Amino acid sequence: MSTLTISGLRAAVGGREILRGIDLEVRSGEVHAVMGPNGAGKSTLSHVLMGHPGYEVLGGSVTLDGVELLTLATWERAQAGLFLAPQDPVEVPGVPIGDVLAAALIAGDRAGEAAPAVLHAKMAAEAAEIGLAPVFLERAINVDASGGEKKRIETLQLATLGPRFAVLDELDSGLDVDALRAVSKRVERATLDGTGGSPKLGVLAITHYRRLLDELHPDAVHVLVKGQIVASGGPELADELERTGYAGYVEPEVAPAAIGPDPFGGLFS
Amino acid sequence: MSEIAAREVPSSFTLASGESIGDQKWLVERRLAAFETLASTTLPSESDEEWRYSRINELDLASFAPVVGPDPGTDSSAASAEQLLSAIGPRSALVHSVAGLVRSVELDADASALGVRISPASALDEEPALLDSVLGSRSDAFTLLSQAFCRDVVVCHVPAGVRLEKPIVLVHDAGEQADGAALFPRTLVSLGEGAEASVVELLVSGGQRLLVVPISEVDLGNGAHLAYSTLQQLGRATWQVAYQASRIGRDAVLRSFVAALGGDYARHLTQSTLAGDNGTSELLAVYLGDGSQVQDFRTFQEHVAPRTKSELVFKGAVADTARSVYTGLIHMHAGAKRADASQTNRNLVLSEGAHADSVPNLDIEENDVRCSHASAVGPIDADQLFYLESRGVPPEIAERLVLLGFFDDLLARAPEPGVAGYLRAIVAKRLADGVLASRERELLRDQETRRDGVVPA
């Protein structure tokens, strides 16, 4: 049993505080959904967890089984068992998926799994399970792949690497119904069985819409508004959000909306 | 840029040396004619549009003299030739030229029986009709110097309908030279109607201060297919001013691949003239500069005939204080209806002191055409690195993967399979020894700094 604990996490982008104290705990086998309106800080949360250099951590901690992740480099966080499936997976020309996975496995002292025959058999089996055409195993990663294919490629990497926790950032964006089902099924199986020798996967699914949750069956739903978790509950909370939207959680603006720099440079003031 | 006085061809390039080389009447006449024109020709300067960003003003031509006489001398660095030959495997022909003289031509019996002809121009009683004509108006002081002082020309002809399965390999070795030698290796390749062939050309030189002016002319008859690979692995004190001109006939296809790895200042001009309806030209190049190297490319995609297609992709990386220059022109001539052209130039700038210039241009005289161009100059993509690192790949390995991938993307399209493997090994070693070794030291420093930094409260 593993635990991912986020406490009091605060972070800024370009000097502006986006995450204003996040507390979450996810255990092996659990699926937690983080939902929220645009601009709530959902993507910031996923980037900060993985250590993206464009974000500044202001305070708080993120531990995986007691190990502080915030002081680790991105690759070390991954090796500690954290996986991020980004909203827009990056194309890396000339670099096949197998090379990336082999490098990651070798860096994690798992050279046996990185052996070409072993790795390729694993990738082929995963590709078949999630309906990814085998041609993508030979191509450069994410290059010439549709939105749905990219998410399948993410899922294949997740299943091959076998992390303890996965942050799925808008996994459902760009997916048709079939792809969403195939990808969700594979993730769900990982939460039930684990992947490879690893324990059951814990999931933090960040999403704007409920449809991913129809497939993923979350144990808990959290509502993220303006960088804070404003409500937490069971799956029924997602149903309620579907009906009422986020309006009930967004405080009415007290002061007039922030005004940008005076376009006239003070000429008329 | 300050104006400098027009420079004339210096006296080290003398008529006497022009006369003393070769004895074929047509060759001597050609040399003399070029030499006379040279007298009234000035050297290009960086204020000329085609030579902007170049280092041509630095060239002290008077400190060079052409290599003359009937003796090819000895090889310089045949090691890379041996490696290339073993990577390529079986071949139809091997031509070895040393210091611009053709030393040996091995043509296999099958190719010979099919009518393939490869010979030094000095063995031909008449001037090959195509010589200088493909280059055409792309003529300047350097092409004239080549006409006047090139010791010989490798002439290859594949007759109509002949499909050569194995490549023709041309090794141009500058040979063991004293500092200040000027060399003018030259190649003419022609394919008859419907012929198919692959040519691999290797340029090597030793460590001396040399001026090498290679000129290759390629003429493709209607429906001919040619793969033309040029591997520039000149020594690090060699200046190169290279020209590669092609004329593509109706329905013909050229797949050109250039790897520019060596040289001090290495310039490569590519001109591909799509002269026949529905001709295709694929122009690919990879280049790598480190130390104080300058890799300089000028390209001209000349669409003359209707429905012609060209695709240009040049990709390179510069490190240390190296520079690269890409300036390219897509020229759609009036009448090139429904022609389709693209040019893409991507540059990785790996060190603070390195620099890349990229200037794509269009000149369109016909309405009914499609053109696209893309150009990029920048460091290794941070998003790509983060993505790989987020999978658990350590930063130094992520960099190597991204960098090799940047080149592999294009090496995978090398038209001669053995060439791709040969270049992949060289590029990987160059990156590991030079560029990446210094990058890894930088990364290590960054990591240490981060660990020493403030741990979030």
Side-chain angles (χ1 to χ4, degrees), chain B residues 347-364:
Chain B
N347 298 280
L348 287 181
V349 179
L350 301 171
S351 313
E352 291 253 326
H355 183 79
D357 287 297
S358 180
V359 188
N361 278 301
L362 302 174
D363 182 357
I364 301 176

Side-chain angles (χ1 to χ4, degrees), chain A residues 105-123:
Chain A
L105 290 168
I106 289 166
D109 282 330
R110 295 160 69 186
E113 294 169 70
V118 177
L119 179 56
H120 201 269
K122 171 72 173 161
M123 293 198 305

Side-chain angles (χ1 to χ4, degrees), chain B residues 74-96:
Chain B
T74 51
D75 286 16
S76 63
S77 46
S80 32
E82 288 306 318
Q83 283 171 24
L84 176 65
L85 291 175
S86 80
I88 288 175
R91 55 188 181 253
S92 293
L94 172 62
V95 180
H96 210 101

